[in-house]
Structure formats: C-alpha cells, structure tokens
Amino acid sequence: MCSNLDRLGTTVVVSSEVRLRKGYSAHGWVRYGKVAGVKIMVSEWWDQEVELLARRTRKQVNSQPVIFETGYGPSGLPHLGTFAEVARTSFVRWAFTKRFPDIPSRLIAFSDDMDGLRSVPENVPNKDMVRLHLGKPLSSVPDPFGIADSFSGHMIGRLKSFLADFGFEPEFYSSSECYYSGAFDAGLLKLLENVEAVKAVVLPTLQPETRVTWSPFLPICEVCGRYTTIVSDYHPQDAQISYACSTEFGGASGCGNTGRVSVRGGKVKVGWKVDWALRWMMLGVDYEMYGKDLIESAVISGKICKALGVEPPVGSFYELFLDEEGHKISKKIGNGISLDEWRSYAPDDSILYFLTKSPKKARKIGRELVGKTTDEFLLLLKQPTADNELLRTMMAATAPGICRKHNWNWSSEFDFSLLVSLVGALGIDDVAAVHSFLRDNPALTLAPQDDAFAFELVQFALRYDRGLRATRLPDAAAHELSIGEIHALETLLQRLGDADFTAADALQTMTYEVGKARDLGLREWFSLLYQALTKNPTGPRLGTLLMLLGRERSEKKLQEFLNSAVKSSEKDEIST
C-alpha cells in the first residue's frame, strides 16, 4: 500500500491496524497509514503552498485578486524548467481557488526581455550576427531564426506556443512593455528616491571591487544601445541619472559616450535583484516560485521590497532539472531532453503528470525518465477520476478540452515500457501492424475502450524506439559471448521448445534457472537476453516479453543472436 502511495500520492482506501507516520512521497510530505475502511487523504505539495499563501491576508479583505507570477529570462530557447514553473504555479493557483473560491486570482507570466545579451547561445543559428549585439537588451537583438521581430520575441513566442498547447492561459507581461509604457515609472522614481536604502541592502553582498561602481540602475547608452554604462550621479529632483559608457557587458566594451537620461520611459532598467523587487511591488505579486539557484536573490529582493515599504510575496523554491550527466539544464546550451522531444516520445499528459511530483527533489530528465513517467501515468489512469486528486488538479489547471484525451482512462494490463520493448523486438516500423499485433495477441488483453489510446501509444513507442537506435548495439554480434553464455542460450532454446507460452511466471523462472545453472551473473544474463530480443540492455519482465512475442518469434530472435555471435567468434579465431 505504501509503495503505491509513494508512487502516486493520491487518496487510498486502507484497512485493519492504525499506523500513521510522516513520509516523503513523489509528490511531497504526506500523512499516510492504515485505518479500517477509511480513505486517507494525502496532502499534496500544492496544498502546502496554499497553507503558506493563506497567511498573507492583505488582499483577502479588500477583494483584490491574489497575484501569482512566474518569470522567464528569454536569453535562450525555453526548456522543460521554464514550462514547469508555469504549470506548477497553475497547480498552486487551482488549489488556492478550491480552498478560497470567493477570492479572485490572476496568473502573470513575466518575461524579462530587456535583460542584456551576455553570451551567444549554442543552440541558435546565425551566431555571428547575434554576437554583434552583445550587451544590448534582448528586445533589441534581431531574431537569429528570422521569424519574430526580435531575439526575445522568438523565445517568448515559443513559450507561449507550448503553454497554449497544454491549455495554460497566463497573462503575459514583459519588461519592455512595462518600462516603455510607463507602467513601472512610479516604482522607478521610488527607487531613485531611495537609492541609498537599496544600496544598503545590496552592497554587503557584493565583492569589494564591485561595490564602488554598483548602481540599481542600468542606463542604456544613447549611442551604442548597450548596458556598457556606469552611473556617475543621481538627480532625483529631475527623475534623471548621469552615466558614462565606459565598462564591459557580455564581452562588449563601452563606446565612451556620456549622458544624462530620465529613469522613465524605458531609457534605463534596473539590475536583476532590484528588478525582481520592482516587479513584485508594481504588479502586487503575492506568490512566486523560483529555482534553488535563486534563493539568495529572492532573499535580497525581499529585503529591497521591505526597504521600500512593500511586503514581498510568498516565495517557494524548487530543485533544478538536470541532464543525464547531472548538469543543470540550460536555455543557452539545450542540454537535457527538450519539450519537443518528450512530446514526440509520449503523450502531453505524461509531462503534466511528471510536473505534479514534488518540486523539492532534483530530477535528471532524459529518455529513460519519459518511459518511466508514462508507465506511472497509465497506472494513474486506472484510478477513477472522482477519487483521483492528481487528475482533478491537472484537469482544472488547464483550459477545458486541452489535456483530457480519451477521457483519461486506461484499463489494459500492459504499460508503455512493455510496448517499447515489443516494438524493438518486432522490428516493425508500422503503426497499423504493431497495433494489430496488440489487438490479435491472445496473451495480451487490450480493452476495447483503450483501442484508440493504444493506437496513439504505438505511434509514440515507434518514435521512442527510433530515438533509442543510436544507443543500441549495431548488431547481435557486438556482444562477445563467453562459452558459458553460448551454452546457456542453447539450453534455453531447447527448453523453450516445450515451454508453456501462456504462463509468464513459468517462462520467467525458466530463464532464471538456466542462467543460474551456468553460474552466470543474473544481471548480465538477463541483459544479454534483452539485447537478443530487443537490442536494448534492459526491458520489462522477461517472462512477460517472451509470452507476448510467442514461441516462434522468441526462438527465432534468440537463434539469430546466437548464430551471429558464434560466426563473429569464428571470424575472430581465423583472423588471429
């Protein structure tokens, strides 16, 4: 019971003894245990966030909407982490609305498109052209893809497209809109009038050599259009600052110009930590999530808010997504599995399910995770929606009709990983043929109501299998078999001739006994059989795979593997 709870984090029905304890599930801190005939409600992580937000009552008494915000720096292509911040915040917003239905709320997705271009991303075309604009606001850099009106416009457009596909409907704000329109003018004037108070917060956190020239304001040089400027004086009575274009930014050097500009109308922006505080103050933000790497920035931005007489929002950090080597995924590098790749390998709904898991745990995102997550999602779909808090939250947080394909039901007994292994073993790159194999296989029960979804899953499995081919062994002979492995394969082929292919457990036991009798390492032995059957070193339960492939296919695959390995060994002996 506890293992299922850890996996799904949903309501469970338990019986007999009472034993409650606190545990960390995939979805956060929960209370679970056994109580006769009683459903134990699990507290999801978004409910914990609402508990924190509920203490902030300022807007609840005057009927103003509670503002949820997410932030995106469009310095590179949006990745899963960018999308995740909007999705997770939407889950929290839904939980808040469920608890406080009479309090209105808004979700703002803010893009800092006036951030300066510090480097050229590795995953964009026309790098030489982009390099010419280092140090300029992202909204002033041409689109390297030649589609949008600016570099940031392209990146923001990609994010909007992803969010629309999933049914998320935040209000989109950008720095350029807020600065140029004058929406931030009042806040900028307040910062100018309280420069020393802001410095008192920020300067102690900087290196001594940086403190001398640091300013909350970043003027855009009127000549070269870059942030290669240093503030030389403040003129609060005129709402202006003086500057010299005499430093470096993103590898670009200042042009030597000096000037005096207004802090209003988009002629300046403020640095990151101050900009975050300005945004919170001017938009009235009540809640925002941020990556673990921004915890210190959030603390400083909160102190700046307080120095300006403003209450900072409730903040919540999340752990970072990592690539398969354990490195943080980056917009500028494009490492880790991309949203486009995940969507080609598995249903969109599997991404939403993945993002319901606790954000307090760092996770490596790669192709293997996609398969595992899809298996878990199919298992989740076997639970009635009425008793399934996760599905209700996923439905409610997205626009109606977007992520509710096939009524979100699945009752068949096979999962996605098994389907991928079958595709690899069958060697058939045809959706209809694989789908027919599933429907006609006497050892497999495909529920009629799952037929359409199964057809879609076959399409995903075929694309997933194509993605695996680059990492597969080029042929069966790539594994140099030992004498013991050859004899074990010969023995297994003999025993399969009389085996009952309707009994997966018996087939599993048989393969185990054959390997053990030859004193083979069982991990290596099973990996060898997976390679022989699917050309992958891992797979589903071997007895089930053999049963579904049937006697003829199983024997043929194993015999071909054995013959190829023996021929390769003979060639090696001749060459030596």
Side-chain angles (χ1 to χ4, degrees):
M1 186 276 294
C2 290
S3 62
N4 286 337
L5 182 60
D6 286 346
R7 191 174 189 182
L8 298 177
T10 56
T11 304
V12 293
V13 180
V14 293
S15 60
S16 69
E17 67 182 288
V18 176
R19 188 176 64 193
L20 293 177
R21 66 186 180 89
K22 199 174 187 181
Y24 196 71
S25 77
H27 296 88
W29 286 98
V30 300
R31 297 286 296 183
Y32 62 86
K34 295 183 177 180
V35 181
V38 177
K39 289 185 179 180
I40 304 302
M41 297 300 296
V42 175
S43 179
E44 303 289 1
W45 63 263
W46 45 78
D47 294 321
Q48 307 292 331
E49 296 299 297
V50 171
E51 280 295 325
L52 297 175
L53 185 55
R55 300 169 191 169
R56 183 184 173 96
T57 59
R58 173 174 58 84
K59 290 187 175 179
Q60 296 179 19
V61 297
N62 57 15
S63 299
Q64 291 187 31
V66 170
I67 305 298
F68 295 82
E69 186 191 44
T70 68
Y72 170 48
S75 57
L77 293 166
H79 52 53
L80 184 59
T82 314
F83 175 81
E85 190 170 309
V86 178
R88 287 167 167 168
T89 305
S90 297
F91 297 153
V92 177
R93 183 190 179 197
W94 157 243
F96 180 85
T97 300
K98 183 175 62 173
R99 179 168 173 181
F100 302 105
D102 296 329
I103 300 177
S105 66
R106 296 167 57 200
L107 172 59
I108 293 174
F110 195 99
S111 298
D112 187 7
D113 63 344
M114 285 185 68
D115 190 19
L117 180 66
R118 290 173 170 80
S119 62
V120 180
E122 297 179 13
N123 54 354
V124 301
N126 299 311
K127 292 182 177 61
D128 290 340
M129 180 276 291
V130 175
R131 193 169 289 109
L132 296 174
H133 299 275
L134 286 169
K136 294 182 180 179
L138 295 170
S139 56
S140 299
V141 179
D143 177 15
F145 295 89
I147 298 173
D149 58 357
S150 67
F151 184 101
S152 59
H154 182 93
M155 307 306 171
I156 295 170
R158 292 286 293 272
L159 177 61
K160 287 182 177 180
S161 177
F162 281 135
L163 294 175
D165 286 349
F166 282 79
F168 292 112
E169 300 176 321
E171 301 173 45
F172 290 95
Y173 281 58
S174 70
S175 288
S176 58
E177 293 170 349
C178 291
Y179 277 92
Y180 285 109
S181 69
F184 278 0
D185 281 357
L188 291 166
L189 290 174
K190 192 168 188 176
L191 284 168
L192 183 58
E193 293 166 357
N194 293 274
V195 165
E196 295 306 318
V198 174
K199 283 186 174 183
V201 172
V202 178
L203 291 185
T205 69
L206 304 178
Q207 295 295 324
E209 61 272 17
T210 308
R211 297 174 190 172
V212 178
T213 58
W214 185 86
S215 170
F217 294 94
L218 295 173
I220 302 171
C221 178
E222 298 161 287
V223 174
C224 67
R226 290 183 166 88
Y227 289 119
T228 47
T229 54
I230 294 176
V231 174
S232 55
D233 204 356
Y234 301 95
H235 314 285
Q237 68 280 6
D238 299 320
Q240 294 179 336
I241 56 176
S242 296
Y243 72 90
C245 187
S246 58
T247 188
E248 291 189 354
F249 188 103
S253 299
C255 67
N257 177 53
T258 59
R260 177 167 167 164
V261 294
S262 172
V263 298
R264 295 178 289 199
K267 294 181 174 60
V268 306
K269 82 179 294 285
V270 289
W272 158 234
K273 298 179 181 71
V274 185
D275 187 80
W276 209 2
L278 174 66
R279 194 188 309 171
W280 290 344
M281 177 173 65
M282 298 309 297
L283 299 179
V285 176
D286 293 289
Y287 178 88
E288 182 160 359
M289 302 184 81
Y290 44 82
K292 184 179 180 179
D293 54 338
L294 295 180
I295 291 177
E296 182 182 355
S297 296
V299 171
I300 294 171
S301 297
K303 290 180 178 179
I304 293 172
C305 280
K306 291 179 179 179
L308 298 174
V310 176
E311 181 186 1
V314 172
S316 180
F317 80 89
Y318 52 82
E319 287 283 354
L320 305 177
F321 290 141
L322 311 174
D323 64 18
E324 291 176 296
E325 283 72 46
H327 302 125
K328 172 188 170 183
I329 62 172
S330 167
K331 298 187 293 286
K332 296 183 179 182
I333 299 175
N335 54 329
I337 193 166
S338 70
L339 267 171
D340 284 328
E341 287 176 310
W342 189 315
R343 298 180 73 187
S344 72
Y345 293 150
D348 285 353
D349 306 332
S350 66
I351 302 178
L352 283 182
Y353 163 71
F354 171 67
L355 296 178
T356 65
K357 295 187 176 186
S358 173
K360 301 299 185 184
K361 179 180 178 181
R363 302 179 192 276
K364 291 183 179 181
I365 54 172
R367 191 180 293 110
E368 183 178 345
L369 174 70
V370 175
K372 178 183 177 183
T373 301
T374 306
D375 287 343
E376 292 181 3
F377 180 67
L378 293 178
L379 182 62
L380 179 71
L381 293 185
K382 292 186 177 183
Q383 300 188 26
T385 304
D387 294 333
N388 199 317
E389 180 68 16
L390 286 186
L391 286 183
R392 290 204 305 274
T393 299
M394 290 163 65
M395 286 180 178
T398 57
I402 298 292
C403 288
R404 250 167 274 184
K405 296 179 180 178
H406 315 298
N407 295 318
W408 270 4
N409 290 311
W410 180 256
S411 54
S412 298
E413 292 304 316
F414 64 91
D415 59 19
F416 186 68
S417 293
L418 178 59
L419 183 55
V420 170
S421 293
L422 281 173
V423 165
L426 293 173
I428 303 172
D429 197 4
D430 181 86
V431 178
V434 176
H435 186 229
S436 295
F437 175 84
L438 296 179
R439 286 191 302 184
D440 300 338
N441 195 314
L444 189 70
T445 302
L446 176 59
Q449 65 270 26
D450 293 340
D451 190 69
F453 196 8
F455 187 86
E456 184 178 337
L457 288 174
V458 169
Q459 293 176 301
F460 286 120
L462 286 169
R463 287 194 288 267
Y464 191 100
D465 179 67
R466 293 180 202 126
L468 285 174
R469 289 177 188 173
T471 60
R472 282 180 176 168
L473 297 174
D475 53 52
H479 181 93
E480 185 177 344
L481 299 184
S482 67
I483 296 299
E485 289 172 332
I486 291 174
H487 288 164
L489 281 170
E490 291 173 340
T491 301
L492 180 60
L493 280 165
Q494 291 173 357
R495 294 190 61 178
L496 286 176
D498 299 323
D500 179 4
F501 270 77
T502 66
D505 288 344
L507 291 169
Q508 182 78 16
T509 301
M510 178 192 300
T511 54
Y512 171 84
E513 290 174 347
V514 170
K516 190 170 181 61
R518 291 290 177 179
D519 293 325
L520 300 178
L522 293 179
R523 180 186 295 272
E524 291 75 16
W525 168 235
F526 276 76
S527 178
L528 176 69
L529 294 177
Y530 286 126
Q531 289 172 6
L533 294 168
T534 70
K535 294 188 177 180
N536 286 311
T538 60
R541 196 163 186 265
L542 197 57
T544 302
L545 181 61
L546 289 169
M547 180 182 70
L548 294 177
L549 288 176
R551 188 189 316 278
E552 183 178 347
R553 276 195 178 89
S554 297
E555 290 179 342
K556 181 180 179 182
K557 299 285 286 188
L558 292 172
Q559 189 65 61
E560 287 176 348
F561 181 84
L562 179 59
N563 292 343
S564 179
V566 170
K567 287 180 182 178
S568 177
S569 177
E570 290 173 350
K571 287 181 181 179
D572 290 341
E573 290 180 6
I574 293 173
S575 64
T576 56

